[in-house]
Amino acid sequence: MSEPTSSTAAGGYLLYKAAIAFGIPAGLATVVVMLWIQPKSKREWAMALICTVVSSVGGGALAVEYLKLQHLAVGGVVGLMALGGLIFACGLPGWVIVRAGFAWADKRKGHDLGELVRDAKEIVK
């Protein structure tokens, strides 16, 4: 009779699989966009890194849920690679949004908060 498997080992294995499935595509998306358009400052680099990873994981999870692709995670390595590609693609808009935000704020440097809100309202209209 074999020994029972501990839940800690199983949890560690699941954590490892989740890191592979979500971490690698999110990291690759971050590297690609930072090589594509280099950040101008350390602050911009840190913000872009965080936003790219969050949009990869969050946007990727939302896309998987919306498209009902959960079955690919159970299908094996090829299914996880497909989900990884989707997660990678979802990280790219995060970088663009952050860059656009920094560019918009740089153009309005020296303006007070009221002027920034008025400018934002004009853009939204």
Side-chain angles (χ1 to χ4, degrees):
M1 188 159 135
S2 64
E3 302 221 359
T5 307
S6 76
S7 62
T8 305
Y13 181 71
L14 285 174
L15 185 62
Y16 168 75
K17 288 294 239 184
I20 296 290
F22 293 111
I24 291 175
L28 288 175
T30 303
V31 169
V32 166
V33 295
M34 287 190 182
L35 291 174
W36 178 31
I37 304 171
Q38 300 221 344
K40 295 178 182 146
S41 67
K42 288 181 182 180
R43 187 173 135 230
E44 184 178 347
W45 180 87
M47 290 288 294
L49 175 69
I50 292 166
C51 290
T52 304
V53 170
V54 168
S55 67
S56 282
V57 174
L62 184 67
V64 168
E65 185 69 28
Y66 180 77
L67 299 172
K68 301 194 184 325
L69 298 174
Q70 295 89 343
H71 64 280
L72 292 175
V74 185
V77 176
V78 175
L80 284 176
M81 289 171 38
L83 290 177
L86 181 64
I87 292 165
F88 172 84
C90 289
L92 300 177
W95 174 257
V96 172
I97 291 168
V98 170
R99 286 298 302 228
F102 271 101
W104 184 80
D106 278 346
K107 284 173 107 178
R108 289 153 182 83
K109 209 173 234 177
H111 293 243
D112 67 359
L113 185 60
E115 292 171 332
L116 292 176
V117 170
R118 274 193 299 269
D119 288 349
K121 283 183 181 179
E122 288 176 19
I123 291 172
V124 173
K125 285 183 183 179

